[in-house]
Amino acid sequence: MFNLELSGGFLTEPSYEAMEIWKKWMVSKPTIKNTWSSLSQRRRLGWLEVVRMQHHATYCNIPTNNNYFLDMTHVRDSVSFYCALGEAMNGPGGYYGFSLDSLDDCFCGGFGARSPFVLHLCNGNFNELMHRDKIKESEREKLREIQDLLISSQVTLVYD
């Protein structure tokens, strides 16, 4: 028997929202998808901070047929899209990018599936999302860029 003590730090201090999520995860990590869906926008950004730093522990969802299923029910903007995408690719609390650059990095491997693969968008799609009345033009543009990157990276989008 032995004791192992790890020490380290963050390059930047985690946000208050991320620290609140870390505290909850110390008790119990998410076991069901969409736990993030009831969080405010700021807390969703904190969620993405945590899953990005935790990705090595949540990488687990490798379907044998290269098909992934993203539940669009709670997707309202680019932040919630990345939350849902992480879970589609790697299960509850999963990570698969938080920005265009990080999403592009994920396609190269080490974060779950490497492209090409099939992403089934269930309960919604990009066009519906981008044409909602309440969505800001800046968010529309981010969602267009995400969709374009997925397609140019050989991700087949299927609208279920």
Side-chain angles (χ1 to χ4, degrees), residues 140-156:
R140 278 191 185 100
E141 184 57 31
K142 287 179 186 178
L143 291 165
R144 271 189 217 99
E145 290 173 345
I146 292 169
Q147 183 180 29
D148 290 347
L149 179 59
L150 289 166
I151 293 168
S152 68
S153 299
Q154 298 180 313
V155 175
T156 301

Side-chain angles (χ1 to χ4, degrees), residues 11-30:
L11 294 176
T12 59
E13 186 175 328
S15 68
Y16 171 81
E17 292 79 13
M19 290 305 296
E20 290 299 307
I21 292 166
W22 276 113
K23 289 176 188 174
K24 289 180 182 177
W25 283 27
M26 287 172 46
V27 175
S28 175
K29 293 182 180 170

